[in-house]
Amino acid sequence: MADLGVILGDLDAETRTIDDVVANLPAADWARPTPAEGWTIAHQIAHLAWTDRKALIAAAHPEDWQAEVEELLKAGETYVDDGAAAGAQRPPREILDGWREGRALLAEALAAVPEGQKLPWYGPPMSAASMASARMMETWAHGQDVFDALGLTREPTARLWHIARFGTRTRDFAYKLHSLAPPPEEFRVELTAPDGATWAFGPEDAEQKLTGTALGFCLVVTQRRHPADTDLAAHGADVEEWLGIAQAFAGPPGDGRKPGQFA
């Protein structure tokens, strides 16, 4: 079972990594475009702040969640983009301060969730540990967009384990997003960790397998790189299909990235 305290500690470290990059950026650099079409660095950080606030409602005030969903449905399918755009209009310092405050409140709220309690979300309800893992995944993914926009390379860390695990656990979710039936058999996923160790998920005797680096896998399941631009190897037709639709984040199917986009 995942340790909530460990995940929250790693989530804090991940957010600080991104915070360190954007904290001293000139205001003009917050307007830099990122690989997400129409999104600047300001959009990326504003989106993280927006999503943390939504997660805070789920964790601290789950009784208000249904009203929150109904309000979003009124806005239509563009509510995520609309939220990022609205937040990005604020001065960079306000965006950053809002993100810092919101993520601190969310960490406190998640730590206080009683064991076994499920939290509502846009996808299936999840535990506090799963919610923290989801925040880790999304924080890392949008952080990648920021690093790419600035032409910076981010060193992979052991924190990728949370994203890799989340990526394997959302396999069937990706199929359902595309109105496809998930394969009945589990896959074996064997990934080379940043320190050279092997992270393995799924049954050892599975007929189909995915191999490669943890970094490559995390980039693909968060749709920050096209599978063709990674070292991932699909051993089986179903695994190859999964790589083309893998999506660890909630919402409609993402557009992903184009082959060779970062060559």
Side-chain angles (χ1 to χ4, degrees):
M1 182 178 293
D3 186 314
L4 176 59
V6 171
I7 304 172
L8 289 176
D10 283 349
L11 174 58
D12 179 65
E14 195 62 47
T15 59
R16 289 177 184 276
T17 297
I18 302 165
D19 195 312
D20 288 344
V21 169
V22 301
N24 295 316
L25 283 180
D29 281 344
W30 282 73
R32 283 198 192 200
T34 68
E37 186 175 353
W39 280 36
T40 64
I41 290 177
H43 284 77
Q44 298 289 349
I45 303 303
H47 171 71
L48 290 176
W50 181 89
T51 316
D52 282 344
R53 289 195 299 272
K54 302 306 179 187
L56 180 60
I57 295 173
H61 305 286
E63 69 279 3
D64 296 336
W65 184 253
Q66 186 56 41
E68 174 66 26
V69 170
E70 290 173 2
E71 201 59 34
L72 288 179
L73 290 176
K74 293 178 184 177
E77 294 185 355
T78 63
Y79 65 85
V80 172
D81 287 326
D82 293 345
Q89 297 303 310
R90 301 166 64 192
R93 178 51 57 180
E94 288 186 17
I95 299 173
L96 187 56
D97 287 346
W99 181 40
R100 288 171 173 169
E101 179 184 11
R103 74 196 197 214
L105 291 172
L106 176 59
E108 292 178 6
L110 289 174
V113 172
E115 186 174 351
Q117 180 176 319
K118 294 289 187 179
L119 306 178
W121 196 237
Y122 302 108
M126 59 179 74
S127 67
S130 292
M131 178 70 82
S133 295
R135 297 310 306 133
M136 166 73 80
M137 175 274 300
E138 189 163 18
T139 298
W140 182 86
H142 289 281
Q144 185 64 47
D145 291 332
V146 172
F147 275 76
D148 286 336
L150 295 170
L152 301 175
T153 299
R154 176 172 50 175
E155 290 299 318
T157 71
R159 297 191 294 271
L160 289 178
W161 184 86
H162 303 292
I163 303 160
R165 180 175 180 268
F166 199 79
T168 61
R169 290 166 67 89
T170 53
R171 185 200 74 161
D172 290 1
F173 169 74
Y175 277 92
K176 292 172 183 175
L177 280 179
H178 290 265
S179 300
L180 299 171
E185 300 86 10
E186 290 186 62
F187 301 150
R188 176 72 166 181
V189 177
E190 295 180 356
L191 306 172
T192 303
D195 66 357
T198 297
W199 294 341
F201 306 91
E204 194 171 354
D205 60 350
E207 291 187 5
Q208 300 191 60
K209 183 166 69 172
L210 176 70
T211 59
T213 60
L215 176 60
F217 180 69
C218 291
L219 287 168
V220 168
V221 297
T222 58
Q223 297 193 354
R224 265 50 191 183
R225 292 294 185 273
H226 191 278
D229 293 336
T230 70
D231 57 5
L232 296 180
H235 307 271
D238 290 336
V239 178
E240 188 167 358
E241 178 184 47
W242 176 42
L243 282 183
I245 62 172
Q247 177 172 323
F249 52 90
D255 295 329
R257 303 290 181 258
K258 299 178 177 61
Q261 184 173 345
F262 299 91

